[in-house]
Amino acid sequence: MRKIQSMISTSGTDFRRNDARNRELVAQFRAKQDRARHVRPKRDLERLSSQGKMRPRERIEKLLDPGTPFLELSSLAANMAYEGESPSASSIVGIGIVSGRETIIRADDPTVKGGAWYPLSVKKIVRALDIAIENRLPVIHLCDSAGGFLPLQSELFPDRHMAGRIFRNQSILSKMGVKQLSLVFGHCTAGGAYIPALSDYSVIVRGTGAVFLGGPPLVKAATGEESTVEELGGADMHTSVSGTCDYPAANENEAILIGREIVAQWDQAQKWPIQRDPPEAPAYDPQELYGILPDDIKKQFDMREIIARIVDGSRFHEYQPNYGSTLVCGYANIWGFKVGILANNGVLFNDSSLKGGHFIELCDQNNTPLVFLQNITGYMIGRDYERRGITKDGAKMIMAQSCARVPKFTVMCNGSFGAGNYGMCGRAFDARLLLAWPNHQIGVMGGDQAANTLAEVKANQMRRSGEPVDQATLARVRTETLTAYQEQISAYYSTSELWDDGIIDPVDTRNALGVAISASLNAPLGQKGYGVFRF
């Protein structure tokens, strides 16, 4: 494959301005992430220390193989919810290596209201187990939770993808033969008790670990029976009487050591044989991504410049370079893994939609994972394009992308608007991992378009009712709409609601994709097949 020839001048005014702006955005992201990870009330940290407990990130660090990466997911989940009371949605999730095995690690955070689950905590846990199912990854649960956050119980208990989905997913993993281990550091109360009960293996710490459907206060209120935590669900009772847990541990360090020994006994799935070459760093410095991304979401840039700073050797075999030029398609390697890349270079027209659908089929036939780099305003609209069948051609691309059996990965590099989000493997289309950059924006349409559209609708209402068109009213509609959109289309709102798997620094994209692609190879490829393409 030939090396991409970069046309970027790193000494240019635009590059320097973009660089300064994007470094500022990344610094803001890092500061938010650091607060979510580490800033806690002093009393909560002292409480943990007095109980002889580690902080959850310390537990993860000791669990992981030394010197191996940990790809944390959704570190800023719930950052715009619950008035900031649930940093990282009160949990930590990521992909890491334990005793040589790629695993999903899921840890409750007892420094946040005793590890109680908020609605977005549940959503995050369900998503972690979805990733485990999709990629056949073993799961290690680090349990220390007070159970559901009762004031919001109606938002976390009854519906299909709420708390019950956690235990459904655990059951599905067991049916698939995917291993699960629970390390019980604190209380597993009410529904949370089923996490160790549904795991293949469980280790419980004496003195602090406990598993019960109802704690002592609830048992007394419901039955009049008085009992201690240890009698109801302590380590010795569960490992010698009920058999709910397998191994007692004297302290957290021993529990982690036993856990690592257990994982070392697990067989490892045979990965499917992806095309692979020796890894090679990009020929261009990834730090230059900061200067390439524009300081305005509306400004266009060449996605080949992004590709050149992510892929091995900056080499890229472009498919149909002269056709459908607003969608760049081609083959490259990321950490040695062969991938097919689809990257937006403008709005999706009929020809670029057909090109994208065809390229997806070629990659699926060739057992080549797909990487989508999104910067899309949508599919082209207008009378002439509808007459040419833009809806039909966009549907072909969506059909090909939806039915592709190879792993898919999506990076939100800039804007993601309208149905273009769908064709480019948005959240609804089961990307194995969907990551966002801090400059990312997402919505049905851009803020300006939404404000102008609603103002026009309001003006038409006035005309139909015989009222004069009041420009002050239209200006207010525009302002209110634009203000609401600016908050809701931001990367931080998106990641707060778990519409993605986390914001990352653009410079970290190559490494994150490398971890994700490697993990995806644990799941066998499905059968080829598509629905009906409308010709």
Side-chain angles (χ1 to χ4, degrees):
M1 288 187 286
R2 282 175 286 183
K3 175 184 168 184
I4 294 173
Q5 296 301 310
S6 177
M7 305 301 290
I8 293 294
S9 170
T10 57
S11 60
T13 302
D14 288 348
F15 183 94
R16 293 199 301 271
R17 184 180 64 250
N18 292 342
D19 183 83
R21 174 57 179 155
N22 285 300
R23 288 183 185 277
E24 179 185 352
L25 290 178
V26 169
Q28 292 170 359
F29 158 62
R30 294 289 190 193
K32 287 177 180 287
Q33 189 180 57
D34 186 70
R35 285 195 298 274
R37 286 174 168 174
H38 303 297
V39 176
R40 298 290 185 274
K42 183 179 179 182
R43 66 179 183 278
D44 291 326
L45 299 180
E46 289 176 345
R47 172 175 51 80
L48 241 64
S49 179
S50 68
Q51 295 171 344
K53 291 183 176 182
M54 303 180 205
R55 295 180 66 173
R57 292 183 185 278
E58 294 178 85
R59 294 167 177 167
I60 291 173
E61 186 176 350
K62 287 181 177 290
L63 180 66
L64 293 168
D65 289 357
T68 60
F70 179 64
L71 176 58
E72 184 176 355
L73 306 177
S74 300
S75 62
L76 292 178
N79 79 92
M80 295 180 69
Y82 318 125
E83 299 182 344
E85 290 184 354
S86 181
S88 293
S90 309
S91 62
I92 304 165
V93 166
I95 302 173
I97 299 174
V98 178
S99 297
R101 279 81 172 163
E102 290 169 320
T103 63
I104 289 285
I105 298 172
R106 186 206 67 74
D108 298 315
D109 188 347
T111 67
V112 182
K113 294 191 182 298
W117 293 346
Y118 284 72
L120 286 171
S121 311
V122 170
K123 188 175 182 180
K124 185 171 178 178
I125 297 168
V126 170
R127 173 58 183 154
L129 297 177
D130 283 341
I131 293 171
I133 290 170
E134 292 163 355
N135 297 284
R136 305 294 197 273
L137 290 177
V139 182
I140 302 176
H141 305 271
L142 308 188
C143 304
D144 195 347
S145 172
F149 185 61
L150 294 181
L152 298 177
Q153 65 85 26
S154 65
E155 299 176 44
L156 59 83
F157 172 70
D159 208 353
R160 180 181 180 187
H161 290 283
M162 292 184 180
R165 195 75 174 184
I166 297 172
F167 315 126
R168 176 267 185 191
N169 279 1
Q170 283 191 270
S171 302
I172 295 299
L173 284 166
S174 184
K175 177 182 176 181
M176 295 166 57
V178 179
K179 313 292 192 302
Q180 293 180 78
L181 163 68
S182 284
L183 303 181
V184 181
F185 297 110
H187 287 190
C188 294
T189 307
Y194 290 111
I195 287 185
L198 287 166
S199 295
D200 303 283
Y201 302 85
S202 58
V203 182
I204 183 169
V205 178
R206 281 196 183 95
T208 57
V211 177
F212 33 55
L213 295 181
L218 179 58
V219 169
K220 184 176 181 180
T223 69
E225 177 183 284
E226 293 194 11
S227 53
T228 67
V229 168
E230 290 300 313
E231 290 170 335
L232 267 181
D236 288 326
M237 191 282 287
H238 275 315
T239 57
S240 63
V241 178
S242 76
T244 299
C245 297
D246 302 316
Y247 303 84
N251 52 52
E252 295 197 357
N253 279 316
E254 185 181 19
I256 292 169
L257 177 61
I258 294 170
R260 285 184 50 82
E261 290 176 351
I262 291 169
V263 175
Q265 313 312 312
W266 294 349
D267 60 342
Q268 299 197 51
Q270 186 68 37
K271 296 190 176 188
W272 58 271
I274 189 175
Q275 293 185 63
R276 192 172 185 187
D277 297 318
E280 182 181 351
Y284 300 104
D285 187 353
Q287 294 279 334
E288 292 172 359
L289 289 169
Y290 300 137
I292 296 167
L293 291 169
D295 60 354
D296 184 340
I297 197 79
K298 298 175 187 174
K299 291 181 181 178
Q300 192 60 42
F301 58 96
D302 189 350
M303 270 291 192
R304 295 174 187 84
E305 300 288 355
I306 301 296
I307 295 169
R309 288 152 181 87
I310 294 175
V311 303
D312 290 13
S314 302
R315 289 188 295 274
F316 183 61
H317 173 79
E318 187 167 351
Y319 173 71
Q320 289 191 326
N322 298 325
Y323 180 72
S325 59
T326 60
L327 183 66
V328 176
C329 300
Y331 297 101
N333 289 63
I334 295 176
W335 277 102
F337 300 115
K338 181 74 66 183
V339 297
I341 296 176
L342 294 90
N344 300 119
N345 251 13
V347 68
L348 287 163
F349 291 94
N350 298 72
D351 53 0
S352 46
S353 301
L354 293 171
K355 171 182 171 179
H358 190 188
F359 182 68
I360 289 168
E361 289 184 294
L362 293 174
C363 289
D364 199 44
Q365 182 190 61
N366 198 50
N367 298 342
T368 303
L370 292 160
V371 174
F372 295 84
L373 303 179
Q374 282 208 20
N375 178 32
I376 182 63
T377 56
Y379 289 94
M380 190 61 192
I381 60 174
R383 181 179 57 196
D384 289 344
Y385 297 101
E386 293 293 355
R387 290 174 68 88
R388 293 178 205 167
I390 184 61
T391 303
K392 182 173 65 175
D393 293 339
K396 292 188 182 78
M397 182 177 175
I398 289 172
M399 176 71 77
Q401 186 265 108
S402 300
C403 297
R405 70 203 172 97
V406 294
K408 299 177 291 188
F409 308 90
T410 304
V411 182
M412 301 298 202
C413 298
N414 204 40
S416 178
F417 298 105
N421 168 276
Y422 298 162
M424 291 294 293
C425 198
R427 188 58 150 177
F429 293 85
D430 295 332
R432 299 292 181 90
L433 217 60
L434 189 152
L435 302 167
W437 291 352
N439 57 303
H440 164 57
Q441 293 183 11
I442 184 170
V444 172
M445 59 183 72
D448 289 336
Q449 293 94 325
N452 291 333
T453 298
L454 291 179
E456 183 63 26
V457 169
K458 185 65 176 178
N460 288 337
Q461 289 174 345
M462 292 176 179
R463 295 186 188 102
R464 283 196 300 270
S465 64
E467 301 175 34
V469 176
D470 182 9
Q471 294 301 321
T473 299
L474 299 186
R476 188 180 69 252
V477 169
R478 288 191 185 94
T479 301
E480 290 174 352
T481 304
L482 194 58
T483 300
Y485 256 72
Q486 288 308 313
E487 176 180 307
Q488 293 177 6
I489 66 177
S490 76
Y492 292 110
Y493 190 90
S494 174
T495 206
S496 179
E497 294 295 313
L498 284 120
W499 297 345
D500 54 49
D501 292 312
I503 298 175
I504 60 170
D505 185 334
V507 171
D508 293 334
T509 303
R510 170 181 164 80
N511 290 340
L513 287 174
V515 171
I517 295 167
S518 176
S520 75
L521 304 180
N522 289 285
L525 290 173
Q527 295 296 314
K528 295 177 184 176
Y530 290 91
V532 174
F533 288 90
R534 184 177 293 276
F535 290 101

